[in-house]
Amino acid sequence: MAQTLTYKILQQHLVEGRLQAGQPIGIRIDQTLTQDATGTTAFLLFESMGMARVQTELSVSYVDHNLAQFGPENHNDHLYLQSIARKVGVYHSRPGNGICHQIHLERFGRPGATLLGSDSHTPTCGGLGMIAIGAGGLDVASAMGGGPFYLTCPKVIGVRLTGRLHDWVAGKDLILELLKRLTTKGNVDCVIEYFGPGTETLTVPQRATVTNMGAELGVTTSIFPSDALTERFLHAQRRGKQFQQLSADPDAPYDRLIEINLSQLAPMAACPSSPDNVLSVEEIAGRKIGQVVVGSCTNSSYTDLMIVAEVLRGRKVDPGIEFAVAPGSRQVLEMIARNGALADLIAAGARILESGCGPCIGQGFSPADNVVTLRTFNRNFAGRTGTKGDQCYLVSPETAAASAIMGEITDPRNLKEIVGIKYPQIKLPKEYLIDDSMIDPPLPPDQAGSAQVLHGPTIVVPEAASALPDSLSGQVLIKCADKVTTDHIMPAGAFLKYRSNVPEYSQYVFYMFNEKDKPTFAQRSLELKKQGIAGIVVAGESYGQGSSREHAALCPMYLGVRAVLAKSIERIHKANLINFAIVPIEFDDPADYDKIREGDHLEISDLLIAIRDKEDLQIRNRTGNVSIKGRLNLTHRDRQILLAAGLLNFAKKKAMPS
Ligand code: MIC
Ligand code: SF4
């Protein structure tokens, strides 16, 4: 029977279940990646699970998020990560070497393999024809230990590409077009698979931009075929041997088919404050801007930066804007330094930031009040820049460069007419500059035993969850609207440095929603916890969109939250809630959302009985005096994890001889 590429790779890695959309499956994971902001907890949990050595073909730990180093916290984390990696068999990419997804694409990803990463943009490597999935750190820790990764067997949405992008139109514009069509809601448990003649016109870095930002659709992952262009890319990275040709069968059965003619695409922009709030650049051209930033794992490849440098060569950015460039990796930075493009950027007025996530995660470069910022990133959730009430637009490097010159949002296709710039045709290098000296290999097993692990004083080992009660009696601590992201639940930016200290970081849960003259979410939760009353979060559609950060479950757990009742919950966040023994419940009738207010007292009798094997449960709103039906959309394994009080306890129990 004809198969999609997704199912071909899943089939080869299937260890549990059947490949049928909607069914729970377990797959073998070949490679893992972690980054410092999620990885520190992941490795602490890996240690708590009692694991000595990773069992994967390859595991890499990257340091790219927390590079600001105000106070000792970040460096303590870096040293911990470096020392634990050496000991347990993991490669360690040191700070300054670049962003995890960019480096993994350059140096490690291989067609046909599976990759699990503790970062939601792990699907970037789908641009190389691999199944690359983002997950919580605890799930990645378990995969590092050789455990399968459990997921819902996805539906496959086929995107058939025809035509060819016009000059000045980028891979970014393709994914923005798709976000416009599919939005960030309602795509859970789907994979986007690109096929058709148009795929052959997109380079690997362009494909990687598309699969990277596919994360914003809320899909499990996105994938391109592995073809002659993949081979060229791998060859140029001196990894030609890892190439294998892969594609879907000609009549592959897609659950849904979308046609996109690349020749019809135009430059697009995601407007404030959601990646699916997409308009064409033409429609918003002329809006004044105060900042432009080129970078992030979406758009900071060698070709992206070369296009920007070529556009700016011999020109100056508008004096009314701040312009910054954060190269995706040291490979990119060194190459543009050696070929002179970096000098062109500096001469044009660019501020060169280090290779890392930087402003994408609010580590500096926050815009001033009421200043519009234009970025080549993937997320523009409210406040993510570090400025409350920010206005952040997401665009391609082409649009960013054109706008930087003009000081206002500018359609790059007009550059020729306005300033006489021809489209720079950037060729992919025949050979990238290879220098892996900032990637430390692990110690061989016979030397690893005595190696010391550096646990700095700011690193606090996270607690395991406590058992769920037979019946839950709790108070609604917050009632959120639709599309609440994990950035809203657990802010990053200035608070990112507390990632390895859960008691401290927990103080900032729902920080953005705290109101003046009202105790914070953390204060209210801890007060209830002292009284033995559970905390409950009520939410609308797509709760927990965005980042994979498990702190959005771990910290609420620490504060005493035991259930989330929402219209719908996103995949990674739902798994994280279960892993930390917070019960994810969906409204059977979404209209019941209106029957609950903040502060209401809810009761769920026989919670454990329901978790054991029931689909439905009754929620009594004591304050509003109404009953509401909730749904438990859980697999058998999810139920077992909840009953065992979270994945850590579940894994320990399984490891113990009965
Ligand atoms: C993000 O882009 O939001 C992050 C920061 O990379 C997160 C991970 C984290 O919160 O550490 C992600 O995408 O998963
Ligand atoms: Fe880093 Fe931004 Fe990419 Fe997240 S989206 S991995 S913060 S560059």
Side-chain angles (χ1 to χ4, degrees):
M1 204 184 95
Q3 264 189 324
T4 61
L5 175 55
T6 305
Y7 273 41
K8 285 186 188 184
I9 301 177
L10 287 177
Q11 181 82 62
Q12 279 169 3
H13 291 83
L14 194 68
V15 289
E16 273 182 56
R18 238 166 13 102
L19 277 189
Q20 198 187 329
Q23 293 301 308
I25 53 170
I27 56 169
R28 191 181 73 252
I29 295 298
D30 299 319
Q31 304 186 346
T32 66
L33 72 78
T34 46
Q35 42 90 339
D36 53 315
T38 55
T40 311
T41 328
F43 279 99
L44 289 169
L45 295 168
F46 182 81
E47 286 188 277
S48 309
M49 283 170 157
M51 309 225 215
R53 197 87 187 160
V54 294
Q55 303 295 320
T56 47
E57 147 196 318
L58 172 89
S59 287
V60 192
S61 163
Y62 295 92
V63 179
D64 53 2
H65 280 64
N66 263 318
L67 307 178
Q69 297 179 224
F70 292 110
E73 292 87 350
N74 297 168
H75 199 191
N76 281 338
D77 288 354
H78 303 169
L79 293 175
Y80 166 68
L81 288 169
Q82 187 174 33
S83 58
I84 186 88
R86 275 160 67 81
K87 194 175 175 79
V88 301
V90 171
Y91 285 81
H92 175 80
S93 169
R94 302 210 296 267
N97 201 38
I99 307 173
C100 54
H101 309 302
Q102 175 67 25
I103 303 173
H104 211 85
L105 188 84
E106 291 168 356
R107 306 303 307 136
F108 297 110
R110 67 168 176 88
T114 52
L115 166 70
L116 193 72
S118 65
D119 191 283
S120 63
H121 291 103
T122 304
T124 311
C125 278
L128 279 178
M130 68 193 298
I131 290 284
I133 304 179
L138 195 46
D139 281 327
V140 178
S142 153
M144 287 195 291
F149 174 62
Y150 293 91
L151 71 159
T152 302
C153 183
K155 285 191 181 148
V156 184
I157 302 178
V159 177
R160 185 166 180 276
L161 299 178
T162 53
R164 170 186 286 275
L165 294 173
H166 285 298
D167 290 354
W168 302 108
V169 183
K172 181 67 154 280
D173 301 313
L174 165 59
I175 186 62
L176 286 172
E177 169 68 25
L178 208 57
L179 273 154
K180 184 179 180 178
R181 294 196 198 183
L182 296 180
T183 79
T184 59
K185 283 196 317 194
N187 307 309
V188 176
D189 297 333
C190 292
V191 168
I192 307 271
E193 184 171 311
Y194 295 88
F195 72 106
T199 55
E200 291 158 27
T201 68
L202 296 174
T203 63
V204 168
Q206 284 175 317
R207 296 174 187 182
T209 295
V210 174
T211 54
N212 169 286
M213 204 171 170
E216 274 43 78
L217 296 163
V219 294
T220 306
T221 189
S222 307
I223 188 167
F224 271 85
S226 169
D227 57 11
L229 286 182
T230 321
E231 184 171 19
R232 275 239 306 270
F233 177 81
L234 287 172
H235 189 76
Q237 291 283 355
R238 259 189 254 149
R239 300 200 292 121
K241 282 207 184 87
Q242 288 177 313
F243 172 71
Q244 72 169 292
Q245 185 145 354
L246 294 169
S247 60
D249 293 326
D251 296 323
Y254 292 106
D255 293 282
R256 179 175 170 193
L257 196 63
I258 295 174
E259 300 263 356
I260 297 185
N261 182 346
L262 296 172
S263 318
Q264 285 172 0
L265 294 180
M268 310 289 263
C271 304
S273 289
S274 179
D276 62 359
N277 188 12
V278 175
L279 291 175
S280 72
V281 171
E282 208 171 8
E283 285 170 274
I284 54 170
R287 288 192 195 168
K288 276 269 157 257
I289 53 174
Q291 265 198 346
V292 176
V293 195
V294 176
S296 93
C297 55
T298 316
N299 273 129
S300 58
S301 67
Y302 171 79
T303 13
D304 287 337
L305 265 47
M306 284 305 293
I307 287 182
V308 175
E310 286 286 322
V311 171
L312 292 177
R313 178 186 295 155
R315 300 186 172 81
K316 302 286 176 202
V317 299
D318 182 89
I321 62 153
E322 290 188 335
F323 177 59
V325 177
S329 69
R330 201 169 61 105
Q331 180 182 78
V332 172
L333 178 57
E334 196 173 337
M335 284 177 76
I336 62 168
R338 291 190 185 280
N339 73 9
L342 181 62
D344 293 333
L345 290 170
I346 295 170
R351 288 166 61 180
I352 306 300
L353 309 180
E354 73 179 305
S355 287
C357 300
C360 182
I361 195 57
Q363 294 287 291
F365 223 75
S366 303
D369 293 304
N370 305 316
V371 158
V372 172
T373 181
L374 203 69
R375 299 172 170 217
T376 63
F377 304 172
N378 47 40
R379 289 187 174 146
N380 58 348
F381 305 141
R384 187 171 156 105
T385 61
T387 299
K388 272 195 181 174
D390 54 7
Q391 294 174 62
C392 176
Y393 290 75
L394 307 173
V395 295
S396 68
E398 287 81 345
T399 302
S403 308
I405 296 178
M406 304 307 297
E408 59 185 36
I409 298 182
T410 304
D411 188 330
R413 293 173 302 180
N414 297 336
L415 274 183
K416 180 142 191 266
E417 204 179 301
I418 318 173
V419 267
I421 306 175
K422 274 213 336 243
Y423 179 65
Q425 298 284 354
I426 306 293
K427 291 225 163 44
L428 279 193
K430 284 209 170 57
E431 236 185 74
Y432 286 90
L433 191 151
I434 313 292
D435 172 8
D436 291 332
S437 59
M438 280 181 79
I439 302 177
D440 307 329
L443 288 171
D446 58 333
Q447 291 169 33
S450 55
Q452 216 200 336
V453 176
L454 302 173
H455 281 112
T458 54
I459 298 177
V460 178
V461 181
E463 290 175 12
S466 60
L468 283 162
D470 288 328
S471 297
L472 189 90
S473 167
Q475 190 176 317
V476 178
L477 282 162
I478 192 167
K479 186 175 172 190
C480 316
D482 289 349
K483 291 191 183 180
V484 162
T485 70
T486 44
D487 271 270
H488 294 119
I489 306 171
M490 226 37 274
F495 311 108
L496 202 56
K497 69 176 191 175
Y498 299 125
R499 280 285 176 90
S500 45
N501 183 343
V502 169
E504 182 64 40
Y505 196 30
S506 298
Q507 300 309 311
Y508 305 102
V509 174
F510 284 119
Y511 168 80
M512 268 185 237
F513 297 152
N514 283 338
E515 290 163 39
K516 237 174 135 201
D517 305 324
K518 181 177 167 186
T520 63
F521 180 90
Q523 287 166 333
R524 290 183 289 124
S525 313
L526 287 173
E527 191 45 46
L528 280 189
K529 194 177 171 186
K530 250 195 262 160
Q531 298 168 37
I533 302 172
I536 297 175
V537 171
V538 171
E541 298 279 8
S542 286
Y543 181 71
Q545 277 190 2
S547 156
S548 67
R549 63 192 70 154
E550 62 193 342
H551 294 79
L554 178 53
C555 293
M557 173 206 89
Y558 173 82
L559 296 176
V561 173
R562 302 302 336 235
V564 169
L565 178 56
K567 290 185 187 170
S568 64
I569 306 176
E570 291 295 300
R571 174 187 67 88
I572 305 180
H573 187 57
K574 184 173 163 189
N576 285 334
L577 290 173
I578 294 166
N579 286 349
F580 293 100
I582 297 179
V583 191
I585 309 170
E586 282 166 24
F587 287 102
D588 188 56
D589 177 2
D592 284 346
Y593 170 85
D594 297 326
K595 296 184 182 156
I596 302 181
R597 285 170 315 173
E598 187 180 305
D600 282 0
H601 187 157
L602 307 187
E603 259 176 30
I604 308 174
S605 41
D606 297 335
L607 176 71
L608 290 188
I609 293 178
I611 292 176
R612 221 159 269 140
D613 56 10
K614 294 204 170 26
E615 297 291 315
D616 299 336
L617 45 71
Q618 283 302 322
I619 303 158
R620 180 88 198 131
N621 184 347
R622 287 249 161 249
T623 318
N625 204 19
V626 277
S627 282
I628 290 161
K629 196 156 126 190
R631 247 186 313 116
L632 288 176
N633 206 343
L634 301 170
T635 64
H636 176 68
R637 183 172 179 272
D638 294 338
R639 293 173 190 273
Q640 301 229 290
I641 294 173
L642 284 172
L643 292 171
L647 183 58
L648 204 52
N649 291 321
F650 176 73
K652 281 185 188 156
K653 239 190 210 165
K654 264 181 76 172
M656 262 180 336
S658 47

